[in-house]
Amino acid sequence: MRMPSLPPGLAAGAARGAGRLSQKLGRGGGTTLPGLVLSRLRPEATAEMARAVPGGVILVSGTNGKTTTARLVRATLNASGTSVVANTAGSNLERGVATALLNDDGAEIALFEVDEAALPGLIEQTRPRVVALMNLFRDQLDRYGELEHLVERWRRAVAGLDPSTTVIFNADDPAVAEIAAGHPNTVSYGIEDHRVGRDRLPHAADTTECRRCGNPLNYDMVTISHLGRWSCERCGIERAQPNVQAIRVELHGMDGQRLAMATPKGPIEVSLRLPGMHNSYNAIAATATALALDIDPETIGPALARREAAFGRAERTHIDNTRVTTLLAKNPAGANENIRTMLLEDHPLHVLVLLNDRTADGQDVSWIWDVDYELLLESDRLESLTVGGDRAYDMALRFRYAGLDPDRLSVAPSVPAALDAALRTCGAAGDLYALPTYTALLELQSVLAERGLVPAFWEDE
Amino acid sequence: MSTGSPAVRLCHLYPDHLNIYADRGNIAVFRRRLEWRGLELDVAEVGLGDPIPADCHLYYLGGGQDRDQLLVAEDLAGKADPLRLAADDGAVVLGVCGGYQLLGHGYAAADGRTMPGIGLLDLETTAGDSRLIGDVVLDVTLDGQTRTVVGYENHAGRTHLGGGCTPLGRLRRGHGNNGSDGCEGAVAGRRMGTYLHGPLMPKNPWLADILLGWALDYAGHPVELAPLDNHLEQSAHAVAATRAGKRR
Ligand SMILES: [Zn+2]
């Protein structure tokens, strides 16, 4: 049974009321509830509100990096004086987008980070002006199903796009490149700097066969997981030279990096405060998107440089004299990059891994066995290791069977207890790195907020 | 290769294609639990087109995406004879998820196409119209002992056993082989198949040790495996079992 649609004004009013009520009752920031209410009362509301945004809708999607990339694009829009309506704090399903549009008061452009499984639906509803397709990695098999199914859904969604839509895509991801291949209006991006690449695929690599003929792909450079400069010997397809490319990537540990990009509108250099090669990709994707929105190259670099890490993405906090760096780690590709980035530091590392298995994390914790935690254990800089979260003991077994002496490991399932245990081992003036899954990050964030150290997450802009 | 300590030789089939549910975790458990007892694990990785080594004691097949499983099925058909010889001789064979299906007679997809299996276990699998996903707990009796085994399942196949094998265990929680008969997995002699990953071995060290005992016996080194400190394994096992109860 379906309820008849309420008229727009009435439906919107009821939905906003629900959000305010939620906040008053202390049920969180109301970042998704109004949208959920609205979509029940008036299912066509998202499409109507999206059409009303004068500068159009930009969608940013991919397994990893969409939050940061959307923030970077937003920084360039702000710097060029364009007002933006955006979803925040990971409210990246349809209801989060609807809530953001509902709270919009006349912004010129709409910019949304979108869950990879929600992208096809939101493409249909919002008829975007620009879609940025970043990457597809193995993630939450219980929820998204196999990667192949997602690839197929994206392919159909892109085939249904209006030809005038600009598709920004990562040329280094063979699956994403193939999805974008048939679209008439595309801008590709990628990394060209050989020095930052590896010559071998890591264990967690997903798309390693040619999507056209099934032959194993050749890589003359691997960057992250299955991303890199790929080609197929048998049928001859290969990664095309990207339109926007990083020709020099200088990683400076946790402090950030310098990027030199070549673009159709000239060179852009930027000093990013965001660490790691995953953030190099985010910055290049954001640059390609900003250029597609006709933002000046001179505006882009400084705008990106000012941006600091998003909520839990290499965010830094101090607890007394201990510096705590939080690195969201929710799938093998992301966790591997965090580990590589941490190992660029030359000081002793204290590490806290928090593993939850709730719906937003994925209930199947098998993925931790595909992360190369061995790199951490083999490093002489690892000083202490603490594990916590709902599945702390699974994490403990991961390290036990990687060869760690269990006496060197602290286990505390509750997140506050695990944090305290890690801080104790770390001692004053230490450097603690927290690697939480998504809901563990929310828990960690609320523990820190209770202690007055960080703002609550829905206050994150 | 040999340092004098008895070695179990494990044949890891298709590590590049069948690895979706962290199969390397199972291998790591086999390796460490032997090492901690002064024994060795040698691993032979066998991919598409590679021959089956004849001298292995434990053959392992993991799970893969549909596309990879199809690719493997064709290749595996060509390896059926040497695998059957080894299994008939008493080698241990373990298939997990997709590997379990491939050990049976075949997989009938929804569109009527069939993917061949190698018939080492007397079972058939047909595609269901939904995926069976979630935490699983079952009671397993092997070598005269009964224990609970925990894991996670995620499969569209519905598997039905023939008379040539018995279920690995009876379900307390979860969907198991087909979501209807209350059974999970299959055993025939030293051949075993199951849908459970998570991966399977870390939280079920009892099961890992039974398989290692069988492999050592076949290798000609029947040893009493010394007990190990399993307190972390037991805690993880208990958490998984509680999870399965709550999410029911
Ligand atoms: Zn090819």
Side-chain angles (χ1 to χ4, degrees), chain A residues 230-312:
Chain A
W230 52 272
S231 62
C232 173
E233 228 165 44
R234 194 196 284 170
C235 73
I237 62 166
E238 59 181 3
R239 165 186 176 274
Q241 191 78 7
N243 303 118
V244 176
Q245 47 183 294
I247 49 175
R248 212 175 64 243
V249 178
E250 287 168 21
L251 300 171
H252 303 307
M254 281 292 157
D255 296 329
Q257 58 189 296
R258 263 196 84 71
L259 273 182
M261 290 178 272
T263 85
K265 293 182 185 164
I268 297 179
E269 294 228 5
V270 55
S271 290
L272 275 185
R273 298 202 210 176
L274 312 174
M277 218 181 333
H278 52 301
N279 278 315
S280 318
Y281 274 112
N282 296 338
I284 310 164
T287 301
T289 308
L291 289 171
L293 295 169
D294 290 321
I295 297 173
D296 280 345
E298 301 77 49
T299 309
I300 294 172
L304 299 185
R306 278 194 296 276
R307 212 77 189 99
E308 294 194 43
F311 167 56

Side-chain angles (χ1 to χ4, degrees), chain B:
Chain B
M1 178 193 69
S2 175
T3 56
S5 56
V8 169
R9 277 194 295 280
L10 182 146
C11 173
H12 189 183
L13 286 146
Y14 311 109
D16 294 338
H17 292 90
L18 302 182
N19 62 17
I20 194 171
Y21 296 120
D23 295 282
R24 78 169 169 175
N26 287 332
I27 313 280
V29 170
F30 289 139
R31 181 188 305 285
R32 296 291 179 189
R33 294 188 76 80
L34 285 172
E35 247 177 50
W36 293 330
R37 286 142 164 157
L39 306 170
E40 268 186 71
L41 183 78
D42 294 334
V43 177
E45 298 200 335
V46 170
L48 295 172
D50 297 340
I52 291 281
D55 58 349
C56 288
H57 312 120
L58 202 172
Y59 293 83
Y60 181 87
L61 264 170
Q65 303 206 49
D66 292 349
R67 204 168 78 130
D68 288 319
Q69 195 176 333
L70 192 63
L71 208 64
V72 161
E74 290 166 23
D75 188 82
L76 187 66
K79 295 178 165 67
D81 288 343
L83 280 170
R84 179 181 305 281
L85 275 177
D88 287 347
D89 196 41
V92 184
V93 180
L94 174 64
V96 173
C97 207
Y100 171 34
Q101 297 169 345
L102 290 168
L103 289 180
H105 300 300
Y107 185 105
D111 60 8
R113 282 184 299 179
T114 55
M115 189 190 305
I118 54 172
L120 255 57
L121 286 168
D122 181 18
L123 51 91
E124 309 250 10
T125 305
T126 52
D129 49 14
S130 60
R131 289 191 83 81
L132 304 177
I133 302 175
D135 296 281
V136 183
V137 186
L138 62 154
D139 289 315
V140 174
T141 302
L142 290 169
D143 290 357
Q145 312 163 45
T146 302
R147 300 286 173 88
T148 60
V149 164
V150 296
Y152 200 89
E153 62 182 331
N154 184 350
H155 53 103
R158 307 294 194 268
T159 296
H160 292 273
L161 310 191
C165 56
T166 53
L168 171 63
R170 298 211 65 85
L171 289 165
R172 287 178 182 225
R173 303 281 183 206
H175 307 284
N177 283 338
N178 46 53
S180 54
D181 68 8
C183 293
E184 207 292 316
V187 185
R190 287 174 180 165
R191 307 167 190 192
M192 185 185 290
T194 173
Y195 276 118
L196 298 194
H197 58 267
L200 175 65
M201 294 304 162
K203 288 190 284 291
N204 300 294
W206 168 77
L207 185 59
D209 283 352
I210 282 188
L211 292 166
L212 290 174
W214 292 354
L216 283 161
D217 185 51
Y218 176 60
H221 305 289
V223 289
E224 190 73 26
L225 286 171
L228 296 171
D229 175 359
N230 286 334
H231 79 276
L232 289 174
E233 287 83 348
Q234 280 155 4
S235 299
H237 182 107
V239 170
T242 311
R243 265 308 197 237
K246 280 206 182 117
R247 280 175 179 160
R248 189 74 173 164

Side-chain angles (χ1 to χ4, degrees), chain A residues 370-381:
Chain A
D370 288 327
V371 178
D372 294 322
Y373 293 110
E374 280 76 3
L375 293 177
L376 204 53
L377 301 187
E378 286 158 12
S379 158
D380 51 9
R381 270 156 293 157

